[in-house]
Each structure stands twice: as C-alpha cells, then as structure tokens.
Amino acid sequence: MRPGLKLLLSTTIIWAASPAFAQHVPTALSDATAHPAKWPTAGSQGLTDPATEKFVTDLMATMTLEEKVGQMIQADIGAMKPEELRQYPLGSILAGGSSPPLGAPDRSPQMPWVETAKAFRAVAMEPRGKHAPIPLIFGIDAVHGNSNVVGATVFPHNIGLGAMRDPALMRRIGKATAEETAATGPDWAFGPTLTVPQDDRWGRAYEGYSEDPAIVRSYAGEMVLGLQGAPGTKDRIQKGYVAASAKHFLGDGGTLGGVDQGDAQVSEDELIAIHAQGYVPAIQAGSLTVMASFSSWNGAKMHGNKSLLTDVLKGRMGFQGFVVGDWNGHGQVTGCTITDCPATFNAGLDMAMAPDGWKGLFESTVRHARDGTIPMSRIDDAVRRILRVKVKLGLFDPARPFEGKAGVLGNPEHRAIAREAVAKSLVLLKNQGVLPIKASANVLVAGPGADSMGQQTGGWTLSWQGDGNSNADFPNGQTIYSGIAEAVKTGGGTATLSADGSFTAKPDVAIVVFGEQPYAEMRGDIATLEFQPGDKQALALLRKLKAAGVPTVSVFLSGRPLWVNPELNASDAFVAAWLPGSEGAGVADVLIGDKAGKPRKDFRGTLSFSWPKTAGQFTLNKGKPGYDPLFALGYGLSYARPGKVAALSEVPGFDAAALNTSIYFAKGVAPKPFAFAAEANVTRAPIDGPQTQEGAQQLNWTGGPARLSIGGASPINLSRETNGDLSLQLIYRLDRAATGPVTLSMGEGKGFDATSLFTGETGNWRTVKILLKCYQQSGSDMNAVGAPVVVRAAAPLSFSLADARIVSDPANSICPGSK
Ligand code: BGC
Ligand code: BGC
C-alpha cells in the first residue's frame, strides 16, 4: 500500500500511467516554427475589393493612433460600461459565457440583449474626431444556436452534428443561428469550432465535429456560408447574417493528455494533416475572422506564434480577415500580462480579447505603438483588416432590421431544423429487437436526463458551463420525455415519467435517459473515459428494470464517447444521443414508430468519434497505430442495417482512482514529492485512510499557534482554475476538535477563518470543497501558489488528511468564514 498523503499535484502522472503515453512521446519539442511552403493554400473569397479598400484607406487617414489601437482591443460587457467608450474608443465588445446583458440576469431573453447592444452602439456612434463614427463589432458564443439567450433554438453540439454527415444541413443551421444572433444584437458568432479532438478526455471534445479531419473539412465551409452568406453578399447584418470566427487556430484538439489550453506536441505534418484541415474551406468560404487558440504548439503559445498566425494563416493561406485572440490568451505568452503584450500583436494577432484587462492593454499598446515596439505598419495592417470586416458585414449602415425583431428566436422553422438535426445525429450502438417502439406502447421514461433541458443542452448554454439551468429557462424547448409523450399519444400509448424508474403498472418498455452533467472548457477535462466510475447509478437503474422484466432502451447524453460496457450489457438497445439541444422530440422521431411498430424515421447517424473498448483508450483515432475500438469511426446501426452486439467485458482496463492525480492541479508541472513543512508544535504520523492502509496523515497541533504547509513543489499558477470556479477538495477526519481559531490559505496569503471546518463531530471522514475564489479573496496569490494547503491553528487540534485535489463542483462548494 502506498503510505502517506496523496497530494495530487500533476497531470503528468496520468500520462505516465496511460497506455497512450508511448504513442505520445514528443518528437520535436523545440520546433514551434512552421514552414509555410508545406502548408495548403486557401485564399479568402470576397473579402477585398477596390471600393472597400479605398473606404478603409480614407478612414484610416483620419484616425488617431488611439483610435487605431482601440480597434484592436475587445472588452467584455461585464467589465465595461458603454460610457467608457468615450474615453476608450475600442473597436469591439463581447459577451463572455457568464456575462449577462446590462442590468439583467445571466439567463435573459431577447430584449435585454437588444438593449445592451443598443446602449454600447449609441456611445460608439457619437460623433468623434474628423471622421464618421466607427461601428463596434459585438461577438458572442453562438456555438450551437445563439445559446446564451433564453428562448433561442439550441442546436445539437458539434459532436452530434458530426454524426449526421450532412453538410447541407449545416448551412441551414448556420443561417438560423445567424438570424437568432442578429435578432438579439450581436453581429458576430464565435464559431464554427474547427477543432479536431484527438483525446476524448478533453472537456471540449464535444465542440468538435469529429476526430476525423475529413468530416471537419466537409462542414467548415458550409457553416461559414450559413452564418455569413456567400462571399460577396452585401448588407449582411441587414439580411440576418453575422460574422463567423473559425476557431481555435491551431491545434486545440491535439494537446497532450487532452488538457484544456495545453500543449500540442505534434509534428508540423500532423498539425497540417489533422488540425488545419477545416481552415482551408472556412477561409475559402470567406470567414471574416479566425480566433487564435489558447493552446501551445511544441511549447510555444499560439497567441505568440508569428510563423503560424502571420506566415501561414495570412501569408500562405491567404486569410484577409482579422485574427481575434481568445479570452486573455495574450496574457499567457511568455513575457506578457493581460494588460501588456506587444508580442501578440507583433506575432499577428489583430484584436486581443481583453475582457477585463482592456484598459491597461489599450494604454500599454498605445505606448508600444508610439515607441515603435509595435511597428506602425503592423498596427495599420490590423486596423485595415478589422475595418474591412466591418464594411463587409454592413456595420457602417445603421439599419438593423433583424435586431429586436419578434418571431425570430426559437421560431418553428428553426426548431424544425434543430429537430431534424437531432434525429439525424442519433447513433444506434445496439438494438436487440426492442426498437422501434410501437406508438401504442406503455412506455416508462426514466433516468435523470429524461426531463432535463439542462442536461440535454450541455455546456455553453445560457451560462458558461451550462450548469444551473432549469426547464423553465427554455420556454421554446422540449425535453426528450415530452417528445416521447407526444409521439406515443398519437398511437394510443402512454408515457410515464419516473426519474428513478419506479412504477406501479408494469410498462412494455423503459427508455432510460442518462449521461454526463453539463460542463465546458477546463471543468470538463476528465482523467478516465469510464462513465460514472465508482458510482454506477445509471447501471443500477438499468439492472433494476431488467430484473423486473422490463426491456430497456438507453439514451445516452454525452459530450464524448465513454466506456459504458456494463451499461451496454444492461440495455436491450443503446442510442448515443450526444448533447441534442432544445429539440428533444427529435429523439422520439426515430425511437417511436407507428402504431404497428413500423419506423417513422430510420437512424442515419454514424460515429464521428471512435467508441472505446476500455476506459483507457484516450487517444483512439482511426488510422493511428494500435487502433482497436469497440465501435469504429463510421459505425452506426439502423433499422435497415441491424447488427448484433455480443456481451462485453466489464473490466474497465483503466483505474482512474489509482492515479493519485487531479487533472487541474498543475498544468504540465512535473510531479514533485509533496513536502510537509511544519513549525514546532505540529507532529505528523501516517494512519489508515478511508480507503487505503496508511492512506492518510494524522496532523497534531500539540501546543500554541503553529502553521503547517503542504506543497513544496515550484509555484503553480491557479488563476484560470480560480476564474473557472474550481475548488480545493479536502478529505479529512477530525480527531480532536479545534480549541482555537484555524485559518486556511494558499501560499503566503493571510487566509480565511476555517474554524467551522474543524469543529463538531470527530472520527468520521468528511469531504469539503472550498472555492479557489475564497483563497483569492482572502489574499492568496493565485498566480503563484507555493503550498496549496496551509493550515494555521492557534491552539491544539488534530485531524487526518487523506486527499487534497482540485475539483469542479461549484454548486456544492463553500467559502467558509464568509456569509
Ligand atoms: C467567461 C467565458 C470565458 C471563460 C474563460 C468565463 O468567465 O464567461 O466566456 O470563456 O471565462 O476563462
Ligand atoms: C473560449 C472561446 C470563447 C471565448 C469567449 C474562451 O474561453 O476558449 O471559445 O469564444 O472564451 O467566451
């Protein structure tokens, strides 16, 4: 048994323990310079023409340096007031995933958004300088419909769309999304996401259409055309089109270990062959913008990579729109902070996304332009690109016929498109004769996802992570249960909702809807592909129904393929439904047949991500050595193409619990043995933990005030985790209640009063999750955390610590000592 405390410090352990590790040994670590001649050519269509260029030239001739720099900076509406645009003539605003419209809640319908757009625009369009006012461009994450807005049509997340293999439908989805975006005020959607995820542990896997670059390539141009209209379209915003942003350039889906914002340690050939494929058609279709990736390529942050942003993207690939940064991504470039980063502009970034640091970044960038650190030619190039896009979108024309228009958000045509997409995205993994279900059947609809708009829509919906959404937040949506109920009603059947699967009259069949809870970037990263490791609630439900003699149909809601062999064994039919969005009825369209049991619609979805045979097949991608999936890319049964699935092994093949690690704790920092440092009056001894022999350390404060710290590795930066509402989880047992005040901090911070955590009942293991924000608020420097666990106690106390790790569970986290 492993003695001692597990202080879980690094992701590196995961890689070492992973079977995929051998395939992942970096080859050319130091090489982060691209060779443009190797890259495909593309060429922006419809972005330049003599009249536009002349307009831009004339305008620029009258602009001050401050006005030019302003164009290059984007602020978040949550961190800027419209009036501030008078002093700071910024070119753009965004609404981040957690940024509500002005003076309104995060989950707001159309009109507060419209008012917000108008309020900012009104100030931007006040007369200033020697020229006509320059319109703002307002961006939002309309990544599966205009999904930040209550009442919008929410389309399936990209992973589901990839399963449809229907490029033409992508264009219709793009147009509907554009109209619903323009109707609420923004003129720019931060999509399509052209990532090609290679490691399914990544929390953004579902934002990608496929692990297969060919599928991404077949969709990219169509989505851009849907959002923006054909190249050369005039008066786009007036016609209900918005600007697209192909993202995240480049290699976001290739990071080692599937770590969000991590490092893609791949060769240049692989970067081209896998990750760059979607950008060729997106640029050709005239994508007005491209977003730089948070991630690195071979150790160098994309936001600072001139060879890729300038030489490849703008040079070789002929991209003539502008490159926008990602959320403070510039601040991660070596030598930069969020308020000071000439390197990113010199590398080719045209507009920095500086949500909260915009003021400082504006001032420092003006200074760098003045003293030549950023050459004037670079500033002029960036501004020209931005103004060109604004012209091409029609923003200089004040008419906004779509903005505020009634009957656009969630209208029947858009919802019908989404419902069609849901039906087409379903992938039938197994069917032992139970599907389709007769419309005359009595159906039990069970599982936590059956009647949950929040679960079926997932992350990037109404809130950043998609957590906390209730059915009432989707006035135009329909749950999967409700769709089933409607379908069986037509045939004289019944649908009974019973989340826990209990029933009084035995049903003919049960449809059990379960899967992942909503998540988005960072928080969605996981350590194993096992579904519900250790806590197999869905499996228990399926088995209970089977034991009662009820045939089971599983509808699995997930943002990635997961190891579900036990659940597959316990199901008579199993459907991968991904994150279908607001139109749950699309599920019933395929599962429920007519009265006689003839299908109304057949399955047509096929896997766009390979399905794992073990929980450790993190990087399971077609064409890669050792490819041995349970269901290969392209797999999918249908009523016309039935197939058998034999009983599957229920050994996961990978034990995440043995990893001693948290994926969030330290990004890429090599594991160091944790160290205890205690002042006199604290003793320590190994004892048995809740799970393992000698799996904890007993810590005794024997006298007066003393401090104990655990850490000792080089300082780690937890600022992003803090921003992302992550928590420090402690598993401990109180052995002797505190007899005086106790504080907790990270590093040298003053800390907060945590006495309440060390009083009360002794002798039982407790789990507590403390928001990192509490540490920050009480003075800990989250940018450089030396010791993540520092305990100060004024008087005798004794407790045993078994585990400390960074977790994501904001709803169940606390801030001790604060009201
Ligand atoms: C914002 C998101 C953003 C994220 C990045 C959140 O607070 O709402 O839009 O993507 O931070 O850290
Ligand atoms: C994400 C982007 C998103 C941006 C704005 C970032 O954290 O990586 O995909 O567009 O925030 O919300």
PDB file of all heavy atoms in Angstrom, residues 164-190:
ATOM      1  N   MET A 164     -24.161  13.296 -38.103  1.00  0.00           N
ATOM      2  CA  MET A 164     -25.160  13.360 -39.187  1.00  0.00           C
ATOM      3  C   MET A 164     -24.561  13.158 -40.568  1.00  0.00           C
ATOM      4  O   MET A 164     -25.248  12.738 -41.480  1.00  0.00           O
ATOM      5  CB  MET A 164     -25.851  14.726 -39.249  1.00  0.00           C
ATOM      6  CG  MET A 164     -26.402  15.303 -37.993  1.00  0.00           C
ATOM      7  SD  MET A 164     -27.320  16.840 -38.347  1.00  0.00           S
ATOM      8  CE  MET A 164     -26.124  17.877 -39.216  1.00  0.00           C
ATOM      9  N   ARG A 165     -23.316  13.570 -40.727  1.00  0.00           N
ATOM     10  CA  ARG A 165     -22.680  13.563 -42.057  1.00  0.00           C
ATOM     11  C   ARG A 165     -23.577  14.278 -43.088  1.00  0.00           C
ATOM     12  O   ARG A 165     -23.868  13.737 -44.148  1.00  0.00           O
ATOM     13  CB  ARG A 165     -22.414  12.144 -42.557  1.00  0.00           C
ATOM     14  CG  ARG A 165     -21.638  11.251 -41.622  1.00  0.00           C
ATOM     15  CD  ARG A 165     -20.179  11.694 -41.490  1.00  0.00           C
ATOM     16  NE  ARG A 165     -19.346  10.580 -41.100  1.00  0.00           N
ATOM     17  CZ  ARG A 165     -19.290  10.064 -39.864  1.00  0.00           C
ATOM     18  NH1 ARG A 165     -20.008  10.607 -38.900  1.00  0.00           N
ATOM     19  NH2 ARG A 165     -18.517   9.039 -39.617  1.00  0.00           N
ATOM     20  N   ASP A 166     -23.999  15.484 -42.748  1.00  0.00           N
ATOM     21  CA  ASP A 166     -24.935  16.192 -43.628  1.00  0.00           C
ATOM     22  C   ASP A 166     -24.503  17.651 -43.801  1.00  0.00           C
ATOM     23  O   ASP A 166     -25.056  18.553 -43.163  1.00  0.00           O
ATOM     24  CB  ASP A 166     -26.347  16.106 -43.023  1.00  0.00           C
ATOM     25  CG  ASP A 166     -27.425  16.609 -43.967  1.00  0.00           C
ATOM     26  OD1 ASP A 166     -27.091  17.298 -44.956  1.00  0.00           O
ATOM     27  OD2 ASP A 166     -28.610  16.326 -43.709  1.00  0.00           O
ATOM     28  N   PRO A 167     -23.523  17.893 -44.667  1.00  0.00           N
ATOM     29  CA  PRO A 167     -23.017  19.259 -44.824  1.00  0.00           C
ATOM     30  C   PRO A 167     -24.096  20.267 -45.225  1.00  0.00           C
ATOM     31  O   PRO A 167     -24.074  21.415 -44.786  1.00  0.00           O
ATOM     32  CB  PRO A 167     -21.963  19.137 -45.933  1.00  0.00           C
ATOM     33  CG  PRO A 167     -21.553  17.685 -45.928  1.00  0.00           C
ATOM     34  CD  PRO A 167     -22.768  16.921 -45.480  1.00  0.00           C
ATOM     35  N   ALA A 168     -25.061  19.831 -46.025  1.00  0.00           N
ATOM     36  CA  ALA A 168     -26.077  20.786 -46.480  1.00  0.00           C
ATOM     37  C   ALA A 168     -26.914  21.293 -45.300  1.00  0.00           C
ATOM     38  O   ALA A 168     -27.295  22.466 -45.244  1.00  0.00           O
ATOM     39  CB  ALA A 168     -26.977  20.135 -47.532  1.00  0.00           C
ATOM     40  N   LEU A 169     -27.180  20.398 -44.366  1.00  0.00           N
ATOM     41  CA  LEU A 169     -27.952  20.815 -43.188  1.00  0.00           C
ATOM     42  C   LEU A 169     -27.157  21.822 -42.352  1.00  0.00           C
ATOM     43  O   LEU A 169     -27.734  22.707 -41.715  1.00  0.00           O
ATOM     44  CB  LEU A 169     -28.345  19.587 -42.360  1.00  0.00           C
ATOM     45  CG  LEU A 169     -29.251  19.815 -41.148  1.00  0.00           C
ATOM     46  CD1 LEU A 169     -30.491  20.633 -41.490  1.00  0.00           C
ATOM     47  CD2 LEU A 169     -29.664  18.480 -40.529  1.00  0.00           C
ATOM     48  N   MET A 170     -25.839  21.701 -42.397  1.00  0.00           N
ATOM     49  CA  MET A 170     -25.006  22.637 -41.645  1.00  0.00           C
ATOM     50  C   MET A 170     -25.260  24.070 -42.103  1.00  0.00           C
ATOM     51  O   MET A 170     -25.264  24.996 -41.308  1.00  0.00           O
ATOM     52  CB  MET A 170     -23.522  22.300 -41.818  1.00  0.00           C
ATOM     53  CG  MET A 170     -23.107  20.988 -41.199  1.00  0.00           C
ATOM     54  SD  MET A 170     -23.533  20.871 -39.467  1.00  0.00           S
ATOM     55  CE  MET A 170     -22.482  22.145 -38.802  1.00  0.00           C
ATOM     56  N   ARG A 171     -25.444  24.233 -43.387  1.00  0.00           N
ATOM     57  CA  ARG A 171     -25.644  25.593 -43.878  1.00  0.00           C
ATOM     58  C   ARG A 171     -26.963  26.172 -43.340  1.00  0.00           C
ATOM     59  O   ARG A 171     -27.048  27.326 -42.947  1.00  0.00           O
ATOM     60  CB  ARG A 171     -25.636  25.621 -45.402  1.00  0.00           C
ATOM     61  CG  ARG A 171     -25.439  27.030 -45.902  1.00  0.00           C
ATOM     62  CD  ARG A 171     -25.493  27.161 -47.381  1.00  0.00           C
ATOM     63  NE  ARG A 171     -24.401  26.469 -48.077  1.00  0.00           N
ATOM     64  CZ  ARG A 171     -23.999  26.802 -49.289  1.00  0.00           C
ATOM     65  NH1 ARG A 171     -24.546  27.831 -49.919  1.00  0.00           N
ATOM     66  NH2 ARG A 171     -23.053  26.122 -49.883  1.00  0.00           N
ATOM     67  N   ARG A 172     -27.990  25.337 -43.294  1.00  0.00           N
ATOM     68  CA  ARG A 172     -29.287  25.810 -42.775  1.00  0.00           C
ATOM     69  C   ARG A 172     -29.182  26.115 -41.276  1.00  0.00           C
ATOM     70  O   ARG A 172     -29.780  27.072 -40.786  1.00  0.00           O
ATOM     71  CB  ARG A 172     -30.367  24.765 -43.047  1.00  0.00           C
ATOM     72  CG  ARG A 172     -30.680  24.654 -44.543  1.00  0.00           C
ATOM     73  CD  ARG A 172     -31.393  23.335 -44.884  1.00  0.00           C
ATOM     74  NE  ARG A 172     -32.635  23.169 -44.152  1.00  0.00           N
ATOM     75  CZ  ARG A 172     -33.148  21.985 -43.797  1.00  0.00           C
ATOM     76  NH1 ARG A 172     -32.514  20.859 -44.102  1.00  0.00           N
ATOM     77  NH2 ARG A 172     -34.279  21.928 -43.145  1.00  0.00           N
ATOM     78  N   ILE A 173     -28.419  25.290 -40.570  1.00  0.00           N
ATOM     79  CA  ILE A 173     -28.218  25.560 -39.140  1.00  0.00           C
ATOM     80  C   ILE A 173     -27.483  26.890 -38.957  1.00  0.00           C
ATOM     81  O   ILE A 173     -27.813  27.704 -38.098  1.00  0.00           O
ATOM     82  CB  ILE A 173     -27.441  24.399 -38.471  1.00  0.00           C
ATOM     83  CG1 ILE A 173     -28.302  23.133 -38.443  1.00  0.00           C
ATOM     84  CG2 ILE A 173     -26.975  24.781 -37.068  1.00  0.00           C
ATOM     85  CD1 ILE A 173     -27.589  21.880 -37.946  1.00  0.00           C
ATOM     86  N   GLY A 174     -26.492  27.113 -39.804  1.00  0.00           N
ATOM     87  CA  GLY A 174     -25.723  28.359 -39.740  1.00  0.00           C
ATOM     88  C   GLY A 174     -26.609  29.572 -39.971  1.00  0.00           C
ATOM     89  O   GLY A 174     -26.533  30.566 -39.229  1.00  0.00           O
ATOM     90  N   LYS A 175     -27.479  29.487 -40.959  1.00  0.00           N
ATOM     91  CA  LYS A 175     -28.339  30.635 -41.264  1.00  0.00           C
ATOM     92  C   LYS A 175     -29.321  30.901 -40.116  1.00  0.00           C
ATOM     93  O   LYS A 175     -29.528  32.051 -39.705  1.00  0.00           O
ATOM     94  CB  LYS A 175     -29.093  30.369 -42.584  1.00  0.00           C
ATOM     95  CG  LYS A 175     -30.130  31.415 -42.950  1.00  0.00           C
ATOM     96  CD  LYS A 175     -29.535  32.811 -43.226  1.00  0.00           C
ATOM     97  CE  LYS A 175     -30.594  33.765 -43.795  1.00  0.00           C
ATOM     98  NZ  LYS A 175     -30.511  35.131 -43.291  1.00  0.00           N
ATOM     99  N   ALA A 176     -29.896  29.831 -39.579  1.00  0.00           N
ATOM    100  CA  ALA A 176     -30.842  30.011 -38.467  1.00  0.00           C
ATOM    101  C   ALA A 176     -30.125  30.612 -37.255  1.00  0.00           C
ATOM    102  O   ALA A 176     -30.651  31.505 -36.576  1.00  0.00           O
ATOM    103  CB  ALA A 176     -31.470  28.669 -38.100  1.00  0.00           C
ATOM    104  N   THR A 177     -28.923  30.143 -36.993  1.00  0.00           N
ATOM    105  CA  THR A 177     -28.139  30.668 -35.873  1.00  0.00           C
ATOM    106  C   THR A 177     -27.832  32.150 -36.092  1.00  0.00           C
ATOM    107  O   THR A 177     -27.924  32.969 -35.171  1.00  0.00           O
ATOM    108  CB  THR A 177     -26.822  29.875 -35.732  1.00  0.00           C
ATOM    109  OG1 THR A 177     -27.146  28.497 -35.524  1.00  0.00           O
ATOM    110  CG2 THR A 177     -25.978  30.382 -34.575  1.00  0.00           C
ATOM    111  N   ALA A 178     -27.464  32.483 -37.320  1.00  0.00           N
ATOM    112  CA  ALA A 178     -27.145  33.874 -37.629  1.00  0.00           C
ATOM    113  C   ALA A 178     -28.359  34.768 -37.389  1.00  0.00           C
ATOM    114  O   ALA A 178     -28.256  35.828 -36.761  1.00  0.00           O
ATOM    115  CB  ALA A 178     -26.679  33.990 -39.078  1.00  0.00           C
ATOM    116  N   GLU A 179     -29.511  34.333 -37.836  1.00  0.00           N
ATOM    117  CA  GLU A 179     -30.712  35.169 -37.665  1.00  0.00           C
ATOM    118  C   GLU A 179     -31.029  35.367 -36.191  1.00  0.00           C
ATOM    119  O   GLU A 179     -31.372  36.474 -35.764  1.00  0.00           O
ATOM    120  CB  GLU A 179     -31.914  34.520 -38.369  1.00  0.00           C
ATOM    121  CG  GLU A 179     -31.824  34.648 -39.876  1.00  0.00           C
ATOM    122  CD  GLU A 179     -33.021  34.037 -40.608  1.00  0.00           C
ATOM    123  OE1 GLU A 179     -33.977  33.597 -39.912  1.00  0.00           O
ATOM    124  OE2 GLU A 179     -32.988  34.001 -41.844  1.00  0.00           O
ATOM    125  N   GLU A 180     -30.896  34.300 -35.406  1.00  0.00           N
ATOM    126  CA  GLU A 180     -31.222  34.439 -33.986  1.00  0.00           C
ATOM    127  C   GLU A 180     -30.165  35.283 -33.262  1.00  0.00           C
ATOM    128  O   GLU A 180     -30.456  35.911 -32.245  1.00  0.00           O
ATOM    129  CB  GLU A 180     -31.380  33.047 -33.338  1.00  0.00           C
ATOM    130  CG  GLU A 180     -32.551  32.277 -33.958  1.00  0.00           C
ATOM    131  CD  GLU A 180     -33.150  31.194 -33.070  1.00  0.00           C
ATOM    132  OE1 GLU A 180     -32.781  31.106 -31.881  1.00  0.00           O
ATOM    133  OE2 GLU A 180     -34.003  30.443 -33.585  1.00  0.00           O
ATOM    134  N   THR A 181     -28.969  35.296 -33.790  1.00  0.00           N
ATOM    135  CA  THR A 181     -27.924  36.142 -33.206  1.00  0.00           C
ATOM    136  C   THR A 181     -28.174  37.606 -33.569  1.00  0.00           C
ATOM    137  O   THR A 181     -28.199  38.486 -32.699  1.00  0.00           O
ATOM    138  CB  THR A 181     -26.535  35.680 -33.688  1.00  0.00           C
ATOM    139  OG1 THR A 181     -26.377  34.290 -33.367  1.00  0.00           O
ATOM    140  CG2 THR A 181     -25.424  36.471 -33.025  1.00  0.00           C
ATOM    141  N   ALA A 182     -28.392  37.849 -34.850  1.00  0.00           N
ATOM    142  CA  ALA A 182     -28.642  39.225 -35.293  1.00  0.00           C
ATOM    143  C   ALA A 182     -29.890  39.787 -34.613  1.00  0.00           C
ATOM    144  O   ALA A 182     -29.970  40.980 -34.330  1.00  0.00           O
ATOM    145  CB  ALA A 182     -28.799  39.265 -36.813  1.00  0.00           C
ATOM    146  N   ALA A 183     -30.835  38.945 -34.316  1.00  0.00           N
ATOM    147  CA  ALA A 183     -32.080  39.410 -33.695  1.00  0.00           C
ATOM    148  C   ALA A 183     -31.874  39.858 -32.251  1.00  0.00           C
ATOM    149  O   ALA A 183     -32.725  40.526 -31.676  1.00  0.00           O
ATOM    150  CB  ALA A 183     -33.132  38.306 -33.738  1.00  0.00           C
ATOM    151  N   THR A 184     -30.736  39.480 -31.667  1.00  0.00           N
ATOM    152  CA  THR A 184     -30.517  39.867 -30.268  1.00  0.00           C
ATOM    153  C   THR A 184     -29.452  40.943 -30.117  1.00  0.00           C
ATOM    154  O   THR A 184     -29.163  41.356 -28.997  1.00  0.00           O
ATOM    155  CB  THR A 184     -30.095  38.650 -29.416  1.00  0.00           C
ATOM    156  OG1 THR A 184     -29.024  37.989 -30.053  1.00  0.00           O
ATOM    157  CG2 THR A 184     -31.234  37.695 -29.237  1.00  0.00           C
ATOM    158  N   GLY A 185     -28.840  41.365 -31.210  1.00  0.00           N
ATOM    159  CA  GLY A 185     -27.886  42.468 -31.114  1.00  0.00           C
ATOM    160  C   GLY A 185     -26.471  42.168 -31.549  1.00  0.00           C
ATOM    161  O   GLY A 185     -25.859  42.974 -32.249  1.00  0.00           O
ATOM    162  N   PRO A 186     -25.885  41.054 -31.138  1.00  0.00           N
ATOM    163  CA  PRO A 186     -24.521  40.796 -31.592  1.00  0.00           C
ATOM    164  C   PRO A 186     -24.441  40.637 -33.118  1.00  0.00           C
ATOM    165  O   PRO A 186     -25.432  40.262 -33.757  1.00  0.00           O
ATOM    166  CB  PRO A 186     -24.147  39.476 -30.897  1.00  0.00           C
ATOM    167  CG  PRO A 186     -25.043  39.411 -29.715  1.00  0.00           C
ATOM    168  CD  PRO A 186     -26.324  40.048 -30.164  1.00  0.00           C
ATOM    169  N   ASP A 187     -23.258  40.917 -33.668  1.00  0.00           N
ATOM    170  CA  ASP A 187     -23.101  40.766 -35.109  1.00  0.00           C
ATOM    171  C   ASP A 187     -22.034  39.741 -35.464  1.00  0.00           C
ATOM    172  O   ASP A 187     -21.535  39.717 -36.581  1.00  0.00           O
ATOM    173  CB  ASP A 187     -22.767  42.099 -35.803  1.00  0.00           C
ATOM    174  CG  ASP A 187     -22.491  43.243 -34.858  1.00  0.00           C
ATOM    175  OD1 ASP A 187     -21.514  43.155 -34.084  1.00  0.00           O
ATOM    176  OD2 ASP A 187     -23.265  44.214 -34.884  1.00  0.00           O
ATOM    177  N   TRP A 188     -21.680  38.922 -34.494  1.00  0.00           N
ATOM    178  CA  TRP A 188     -20.522  38.068 -34.684  1.00  0.00           C
ATOM    179  C   TRP A 188     -20.681  36.830 -33.807  1.00  0.00           C
ATOM    180  O   TRP A 188     -20.895  36.955 -32.601  1.00  0.00           O
ATOM    181  CB  TRP A 188     -19.300  38.888 -34.261  1.00  0.00           C
ATOM    182  CG  TRP A 188     -17.948  38.319 -34.385  1.00  0.00           C
ATOM    183  CD1 TRP A 188     -17.562  37.197 -35.052  1.00  0.00           C
ATOM    184  CD2 TRP A 188     -16.753  38.881 -33.824  1.00  0.00           C
ATOM    185  NE1 TRP A 188     -16.202  37.024 -34.942  1.00  0.00           N
ATOM    186  CE2 TRP A 188     -15.686  38.054 -34.189  1.00  0.00           C
ATOM    187  CE3 TRP A 188     -16.498  40.012 -33.044  1.00  0.00           C
ATOM    188  CZ2 TRP A 188     -14.377  38.322 -33.802  1.00  0.00           C
ATOM    189  CZ3 TRP A 188     -15.200  40.270 -32.660  1.00  0.00           C
ATOM    190  CH2 TRP A 188     -14.140  39.433 -33.046  1.00  0.00           C
ATOM    191  N   ALA A 189     -20.604  35.648 -34.422  1.00  0.00           N
ATOM    192  CA  ALA A 189     -20.678  34.386 -33.673  1.00  0.00           C
ATOM    193  C   ALA A 189     -19.276  33.819 -33.555  1.00  0.00           C
ATOM    194  O   ALA A 189     -18.565  33.715 -34.559  1.00  0.00           O
ATOM    195  CB  ALA A 189     -21.575  33.395 -34.407  1.00  0.00           C
ATOM    196  N   PHE A 190     -18.902  33.423 -32.345  1.00  0.00           N
ATOM    197  CA  PHE A 190     -17.577  32.816 -32.161  1.00  0.00           C
ATOM    198  C   PHE A 190     -17.618  31.339 -32.557  1.00  0.00           C
ATOM    199  O   PHE A 190     -17.451  30.439 -31.744  1.00  0.00           O
ATOM    200  CB  PHE A 190     -17.101  32.981 -30.722  1.00  0.00           C
ATOM    201  CG  PHE A 190     -16.834  34.403 -30.309  1.00  0.00           C
ATOM    202  CD1 PHE A 190     -17.228  34.868 -29.065  1.00  0.00           C
ATOM    203  CD2 PHE A 190     -16.178  35.285 -31.157  1.00  0.00           C
ATOM    204  CE1 PHE A 190     -16.976  36.169 -28.663  1.00  0.00           C
ATOM    205  CE2 PHE A 190     -15.924  36.600 -30.774  1.00  0.00           C
ATOM    206  CZ  PHE A 190     -16.324  37.041 -29.530  1.00  0.00           C
TER     207      PHE A 190
END
